[in-house]
Amino acid sequence: MAILLTPPARLSLALPGFENIKRSWNSTYETVAARLLPGEYFVTMHDEAVYTTLGSCISACIRDRVTGIGGMNHFMLPISASSDSWKAAGNSASARYGNFAMEHLINNILKNGGKRQNLEAKIFGGGRIIANMTDVGMRNIAFARDYLETEGLKISSEDVGDTFPRLVVYFPATGKVKVKRLRSLHNNVIAEQETMYLNTIEEKPVSGDIELF
Amino acid sequence: MKTDIIELVRGVGDLVTLPDVFIRINQMVEDPNSTIDDISKAVSQDPAFTVRLLRVANSPFYGFSSAIDTVSKAVSIIGTSQIRNLALSTAVATSFSGLSNKLVSMDNFWRHSLYCGLAARKLAKMAGKCDAEAVFTAGLLHDIGELVIFNRLPELAKETLLLVLDGADELPVFRAEQQTMGFDHAQVGGELARQWKLPPMLEECIAYHHDILAAKRYPREAALVHIANILALMAEVQTLDPGDVAPIESAAWEITGLLEAEVIATVVGETRADIAEAEMLFFGKAFSR
């Protein structure tokens, strides 16, 4: 049978657990691209892209630089009363949420054959996109940096903070990232998406058990 | 589609109030019998505008060497058609405050508009053969159709912005609008300018800043505003790499005779340096950041 070379035929099977992530053909990058929403993460071993838009949320992009297995998450720490000092509190509910997002991504890469010593990390986002508000983006950046340092993972590149939202397109196979800073026209819509996501995580705190590899 | 736009713009009639002083000067500038004296009198009837006019006239924005301390001096030095633009430019925030909306903060909206106005003015001076101060006003007003859409069609406008954010390519907003609504903010703004009887140059720049080849009477000015709009985006996201923002139509460089390599870094840099002072001058406050 002839092999179909039309784009949809190249949509390879997603790894187990990522079947619900929306993926489609992207003609600019000529690859399949997975679209992440706040709270989601995605790992792939194929030559495909994963992208998201970030306001004050943060995305870690992590890959095994030898095998090219890697992915992206998209999260923020909930703003609860106890979360102001996530670092001091150590195991506060909000830090637990960040740990959850980071460990899911890293563990899934390792589960699919990545090696811890080969991991390379990049972080993006954490912008202060609504004027005169508490800088929640800065807390997310501080958390991500602190987490990666504790795990012994060096950050090989980052574009974080400042006042704009970002579109991040990541290619785990090569480690290439395209970051596009978005104009302020998009701030309110992105902030609204993030607030909706924040409401869902504040209602459903994650449990403390995370399987460690 | 055209009738949709006309109806949409008619619906905002009561929400936008052009300053009386602008309307009076507008009529006088068109009337060959009116004198500098008549126009000075019309200006003086609006004390708030008189203060703004003298403040702008004496600011580094114009850089006149001698002090301009009377309205008639301001009118004769700055010129009557310029005074008309200033009456509009220094009152845009109040004129459009009725078009508030939840999709974009007014500070963010006007910051982009002001970046565009400042960039357009600089480009106009470099390109020559046009009225740089009028092009400033055109840049300042280029996106007013957006305010109409956000205020009158908030659901569709939100759908449009979500469509832009859903793709990995950052589809230009005006293209997304064409997909979701069948028309775009440039067309709506152009119609607004027409119904208000704004000078035809402003109308063409607003209507065609995304479609410069359609500008028949003022292609040079429309091309300048088109370039300025993209440079404003670059100033906003702090980049000098044209690959980081929407593309500039190559025709815009041909029409204006400007060279991409010579203008981008200069204009983006100077515009960023000037923005804070221009906010105070034209909006009377610093925008929130």
Side-chain angles (χ1 to χ4, degrees):
Chain A
M1 222 169 92
I3 297 164
L4 283 174
L5 286 175
T6 48
R10 296 209 221 166
L11 230 162
S12 51
L13 274 181
L15 288 170
F18 300 113
E19 297 87 352
N20 292 329
I21 301 289
K22 188 184 130 196
R23 294 191 303 157
S24 55
W25 178 256
N26 181 285
S27 49
T28 305
Y29 298 108
E30 296 189 321
T31 185
V32 171
R35 161 87 160 116
L36 281 196
L37 294 169
E40 293 180 337
Y41 78 111
F42 183 79
V43 172
T44 182
M45 39 210 311
H46 300 294
D47 188 3
E48 60 184 332
V50 49
Y51 71 97
T52 197
T53 45
L54 300 159
S56 57
C57 281
I58 201 139
S59 274
C61 299
I62 300 180
R63 68 189 280 259
D64 179 315
R65 70 171 81 80
V66 177
T67 60
I69 299 166
M72 178 197 273
N73 61 16
H74 177 152
F75 69 98
M76 76 192 298
L77 304 187
I79 312 161
S80 57
S82 62
S83 67
D84 281 345
S85 52
W86 58 266
K87 205 168 174 179
N91 204 20
S92 75
S94 81
R96 208 154 61 225
Y97 198 87
N99 289 335
F100 183 78
M102 293 300 295
E103 279 160 33
H104 264 94
L105 174 62
I106 294 173
N107 288 350
N108 200 287
I109 293 169
L110 299 181
K111 197 171 87 186
N112 284 292
K115 297 272 178 290
R116 180 169 279 277
Q117 68 272 20
N118 296 339
L119 295 186
E120 149 190 295
K122 302 179 179 188
I123 58 169
F124 304 97
R128 190 174 58 81
I129 60 166
I130 300 294
N132 305 325
M133 276 228 337
T134 326
D135 198 348
V136 288
M138 197 40 86
R139 285 176 61 235
N140 296 324
I141 298 165
F143 171 83
R145 283 180 178 151
D146 190 72
Y147 181 93
L148 291 167
E149 194 189 331
T150 307
E151 290 293 307
L153 292 180
K154 266 218 179 82
I155 296 173
S156 62
S157 91
E158 62 174 36
D159 183 39
V160 294
D162 222 312
T163 54
F164 18 72
R166 291 167 173 87
L167 164 69
V168 180
V169 189
Y170 180 52
F171 303 84
T174 59
K176 217 178 81 184
V177 187
K178 170 83 188 162
V179 184
K180 205 163 186 181
R181 295 167 172 187
L182 302 180
R183 56 186 298 203
S184 63
L185 184 69
H186 298 298
N187 288 15
N188 287 12
V189 171
I190 292 175
E192 189 185 316
Q193 281 181 332
E194 293 189 344
T195 305
M196 276 166 57
Y197 153 68
L198 208 52
N199 291 341
T200 63
I201 61 177
E202 283 179 339
E203 280 161 20
K204 280 190 290 184
V206 294
S207 81
D209 318 322
I210 290 171
E211 199 184 339
L212 293 170
F213 281 75
Chain B
M1 214 47 68
K2 187 68 188 158
T3 52
D4 289 356
I5 299 172
I6 293 170
E7 285 310 308
L8 182 69
V9 171
R10 284 215 177 108
V12 302
D14 298 339
L15 298 172
V16 183
T17 36
L18 287 185
D20 287 339
V21 60
F22 168 79
I23 295 165
R24 281 198 304 272
I25 301 172
N26 202 21
Q27 288 163 351
M28 290 184 181
V29 172
E30 304 294 328
D31 176 2
N33 295 321
S34 55
T35 63
I36 286 185
D37 227 31
D38 295 333
I39 291 173
S40 301
K41 269 186 199 135
V43 168
S44 303
Q45 279 169 23
D46 185 332
F49 175 61
T50 303
V51 170
R52 287 199 302 268
L53 171 66
L54 294 177
R55 196 174 60 202
V56 176
N58 287 293
S59 73
F61 189 76
Y62 277 115
F64 293 121
S65 51
S66 62
I68 297 170
D69 44 14
T70 66
V71 170
S72 55
K73 204 167 168 184
V75 174
S76 55
I77 291 180
I78 294 178
T80 50
S81 68
Q82 237 39 272
I83 299 288
R84 168 172 65 168
N85 285 328
L86 268 181
L88 197 55
S89 300
T90 59
V92 283
T94 44
S95 303
F96 293 92
S97 57
L99 290 179
S100 63
N101 66 83
K102 291 189 169 125
L103 287 166
V104 62
S105 81
M106 283 299 192
D107 277 8
N108 285 342
F109 177 84
W110 288 118
R111 183 186 298 125
H112 169 70
S113 301
L114 190 53
Y115 267 134
C116 181
L118 293 172
R121 184 175 184 261
K122 285 181 198 302
L123 292 168
K125 286 183 174 176
M126 292 166 130
K129 289 182 257 171
C130 61
D131 179 346
E133 305 309 329
V135 174
F136 167 78
T137 307
L140 189 63
L141 295 175
H142 77 287
D143 267 348
I144 45 170
E146 208 73 271
L147 288 183
V148 176
I149 290 172
F150 287 175
N151 182 276
R152 307 309 292 178
L153 304 168
E155 294 301 318
L156 277 173
K158 189 171 167 187
E159 193 187 312
T160 306
L161 293 177
L162 287 171
L163 177 66
V164 171
L165 294 175
D166 200 43
D169 314 310
E170 213 199 341
L171 178 71
V173 173
F174 76 98
R175 293 231 183 273
E177 286 168 343
Q178 288 163 355
Q179 283 183 33
T180 54
M181 297 184 255
F183 53 80
D184 63 41
H185 66 273
Q187 291 171 279
V188 173
E191 176 59 22
L192 193 64
R194 195 187 65 81
Q195 289 189 21
W196 284 349
K197 303 186 173 52
L198 292 189
M201 193 278 274
L202 295 184
E203 183 187 324
E204 278 218 338
C205 287
I206 295 166
Y208 303 124
H209 70 275
H210 289 299
D211 185 16
I212 52 172
L213 294 178
K216 298 298 176 209
R217 293 177 62 188
Y218 298 95
R220 191 173 185 79
E221 288 80 357
L224 290 168
V225 172
H226 172 79
I227 300 173
N229 181 36
I230 308 300
L231 300 192
L233 296 177
M234 294 175 78
E236 195 183 319
V237 301
Q238 299 170 23
T239 182
L240 292 175
D241 179 355
D244 288 340
V245 289
I248 295 173
E249 298 285 340
S250 57
W253 301 114
E254 288 155 28
I255 293 168
T256 58
L258 293 168
L259 295 174
E260 182 170 4
E262 286 175 10
V263 303
I264 289 185
T266 317
V267 174
V268 172
E270 289 180 7
T271 302
R272 280 183 58 80
D274 292 349
I275 188 81
E277 194 174 347
E279 286 170 13
M280 293 306 295
L281 208 50
F282 288 93
F283 292 85
K285 63 163 195 168
F287 294 140
S288 56
R289 265 156 234 273

